[in-house]
Amino acid sequence: MEISLRARVRAGDPDAFRQLFDEHASVVHRHAVRMTGNWVMADDIVSLTFLEAWRLRERVLPGDDSLRPWLLGIATNVARNTARAARRHQAALSKVPPPDPVPDFADEVTQRMADTAELAAAQKALSRMRRGEREVFTLCVWEGLDAATAAEALGVAVGTVRARLSRARKRLRKLTELELGGTEGGTRQSRVQRPAAVGQLPGSHQQAARSTQEQKRTQEKKR
């Protein structure tokens, strides 16, 4: 009888963990990028997630289901802790004198410009949401987990996941509508305030036409 991957992971089989990493590392990395908006931090979260998975391997429940939700739940907790540590680190750095300027590696930045811009836009909207709503949104919408599986990953009730997801969708919709409304308003304003061509004053065409007609009448009277 073939032993399931869950049983092998629970038993601490190194080959099972290699298989687990090969199958899910990219998923964990994608989730980490979406949670943090930081590619370098996401790499660290992947490493810490699988180290934590090894430490918690005995908590894996028996069965044949995928371990993806379990790993995503661990990654979510690691991302929380990493974000807190980053904030503490940033606060400490703010008290240190600024370092000497370093070169701007423009070529390296340009390679990921499109992805970074899209990610920044998503992060801007998500940053205005509560942490619980952000986590549920990333798991259910971006990672495609159903409510029950997301609840298992986060260690909360299914009803909590559904409520948070509903609130998250409404908040994102409102933010999107506000941004679109601001853009359309700016466009309308630019149309109203668009200046006339250089050297042209309002009504100049009508004034020129009237002036020409008066000159013609004057010439006819002189004749």
Side-chain angles (χ1 to χ4, degrees):
M1 181 179 178
E2 184 178 355
I3 303 176
S4 68
L5 181 61
R6 277 178 171 265
R8 292 165 58 203
V9 167
R10 183 183 177 88
D13 183 351
D15 291 334
F17 265 86
R18 277 192 287 271
Q19 180 181 343
L20 189 69
F21 183 88
D22 291 341
E23 292 179 356
H24 299 290
S26 60
V27 173
V28 173
H29 184 269
R30 182 181 62 201
H31 179 59
V33 169
R34 288 169 169 171
M35 287 286 293
T36 65
N38 188 306
W39 296 90
V40 176
M41 189 181 294
D43 292 337
D44 295 337
I45 290 174
V46 171
S47 300
L48 292 172
T49 295
F50 283 92
L51 285 173
E52 188 70 0
W54 174 263
R55 188 179 71 83
L56 300 175
R57 62 188 183 277
E58 294 182 357
R59 299 185 185 181
V60 173
L61 299 176
D64 296 323
D65 295 336
S66 171
L67 287 170
R68 177 169 166 253
W70 179 65
L71 286 173
L72 291 176
I74 294 175
T76 300
N77 290 328
V78 169
R80 291 175 190 166
N81 297 333
T82 303
R84 282 195 292 266
R87 287 193 294 269
R88 289 195 296 266
H89 180 66
Q90 189 63 36
L93 286 179
S94 64
K95 301 177 183 178
V96 178
D100 295 332
V102 296
D104 181 13
F105 299 99
D107 292 339
E108 182 179 350
V109 173
T110 303
Q111 292 177 357
R112 290 181 175 177
M113 185 176 295
D115 291 341
T116 302
E118 293 175 0
L119 182 61
Q123 284 295 315
K124 183 178 180 181
L126 289 173
S127 64
R128 301 180 184 181
M129 298 165 56
R130 296 183 179 88
R131 187 188 70 185
E133 294 172 356
R134 280 200 310 272
E135 293 172 353
V136 168
F137 184 86
T138 54
L139 288 175
C140 293
V141 177
W142 277 345
E143 297 302 333
L145 299 187
D146 57 36
T149 310
E152 177 187 346
L154 295 173
V156 298
V158 177
T160 301
V161 169
R162 289 173 177 159
R164 289 177 181 176
L165 182 58
S166 177
R167 289 196 300 267
R169 290 183 185 276
K170 291 178 181 178
R171 285 176 62 82
L172 281 178
R173 187 180 300 114
K174 181 180 294 186
L175 289 173
T176 301
E177 290 174 353
L178 287 175
E179 291 179 2
L180 289 176
T183 302
E184 291 173 356
T187 302
R188 287 194 297 268
Q189 184 177 6
S190 65
R191 289 174 181 170
V192 172
Q193 297 179 350
R194 182 178 299 170
V198 176
Q200 180 178 325
L201 298 175
S204 60
H205 287 302
Q206 290 85 348
Q207 292 174 359
R210 285 197 298 268
S211 178
T212 302
Q213 291 174 357
E214 290 175 357
Q215 290 176 2
K216 289 182 178 180
R217 292 195 195 100
T218 302
Q219 291 176 355
E220 289 175 355
K221 289 180 180 180
K222 289 181 178 180
R223 290 176 185 175

